[in-house]
Amino acid sequence: EFNVEKIVAGDLLREEKAKGTKLGTEIARIMDKGELIPHKIICDLIKNKIKNKENYILDGFPRNLEQASLAKDIQIEKVIYIKIPDEIVLDRLNGRLTCKNCGGVFHLKYNKPKINGKCDNCGGELYIRADETKDAILQRIKIYKEQTMSLISYYKKMGILFEINGDRTIEVIYKDIRKLFK
Ligand code: AMP
C-alpha cells in the first residue's frame, strides 16, 4: 500500500541458507535450533541490503542491544512493538505456512490460503519452516526474553517506540499500524 520495501533479516538468512554455501550451512545449523546468528553476519547482510535506499521496513533487526549499537548509523524513524502473550505466539507459529517465493505468511487455522499449499499473493509453494517445531519456537521465545526485550526500553527512551496489541485480528492490527504512517 505504501510502496515501501520490506527487508526481513530472517529472509536474508534463509536466502543464504538456500544457496548451500559454507556460510549458508553454518547459518542453517544455528537458525534451525532457534538461536541467533553472529551479529557481524547479519549486520553485514542488512547494511548491504539497505545501501542507497531511503525508505524501508526492517523486520527482525536489530534483535538485541549489541546489534542496535552496531546499527547506529541506520536512521530509524519508528519502532513498532507488537505485544503478544507467549501462548499465542506458540499457537501462531505452530501451523504457520511460509511462501518459498515471496515470504508471505499464512496459517493452517487462522489464515488459510485460498488454494491448499499455494500462496495467495504469488502462487508460490508454501512450506513449514525448519525452526517452526515446538522446541525451536520455545528457544526463540527464550532468546527474545533474554536479548530482544531490552530493546523496548532502549527505543522507548529515544521516544520512537509505538506499542501495538498483537492479540487481535490481522485487519485490526493492520489498521492500527497504518495510522502510524499516515
Ligand atoms: P525470523 O524470520 O525473524 O523468525 O528469524 C528466524 C531466525 O533467523 C531467528 O531465529 C535467528 O536464527 C535468525 N535471525 C533473524 N534475524 C536475526 C538477527 N537480527 N540476528 C541474529 N539472528 C537472526
Side-chain angles (χ1 to χ4, degrees), residues 166-181:
D167 189 7
R168 298 174 299 162
T169 63
I170 294 171
E171 293 75 21
V172 176
I173 293 169
Y174 180 67
K175 263 191 199 152
D176 261 11
I177 293 179
R178 199 172 174 274
K179 283 185 209 146
L180 300 175
F181 294 94

Side-chain angles (χ1 to χ4, degrees), residues 69-173:
S69 148
L70 286 172
K72 268 201 176 120
D73 47 333
I74 300 177
Q75 223 200 328
I76 297 179
E77 193 186 318
K78 285 181 177 156
V79 175
I80 304 172
Y81 164 37
I82 302 179
K83 192 174 178 184
I84 182 160
D86 290 357
E87 58 280 11
I88 296 189
V89 171
L90 194 63
D91 203 31
R92 287 197 189 160
L93 295 189
N94 213 344
R96 185 159 80 160
L97 301 164
T98 303
C99 175
K100 272 192 179 163
N101 181 46
C102 73
V105 287
F106 298 87
H107 194 279
L108 288 171
K109 272 197 288 189
Y110 306 120
N111 184 22
K112 289 188 192 168
K114 291 194 182 92
I115 303 171
N116 244 349
K118 293 253 179 280
C119 173
D120 288 1
N121 312 323
C122 74
E125 187 190 334
L126 299 179
Y127 76 110
I128 294 179
R129 280 170 36 176
D131 62 349
E132 266 156 14
T133 59
K134 193 165 179 213
D135 281 353
I137 296 168
L138 290 175
Q139 180 62 10
R140 284 156 68 196
I141 293 175
K142 182 169 172 269
I143 290 185
Y144 172 77
K145 289 192 175 151
E146 286 169 358
Q147 300 197 35
T148 309
M149 272 185 94
S150 49
L151 290 174
I152 298 169
S153 53
Y154 177 84
Y155 287 119
K156 208 178 241 173
K157 271 190 210 132
M158 286 168 68
I160 57 172
L161 189 98
F162 296 84
E163 186 174 315
I164 300 280
N165 172 9
D167 189 7
R168 298 174 299 162
T169 63
I170 294 171
E171 293 75 21
V172 176
I173 293 169

Side-chain angles (χ1 to χ4, degrees), residues 9-10 13-14 31 35-37 42 60 63 67 129 140:
L13 293 164
R14 278 182 286 275
M31 201 175 179
E35 291 178 4
L36 291 187
I37 305 300
I42 186 67
R63 213 77 160 201
Q67 290 183 9
R129 280 170 36 176
R140 284 156 68 196

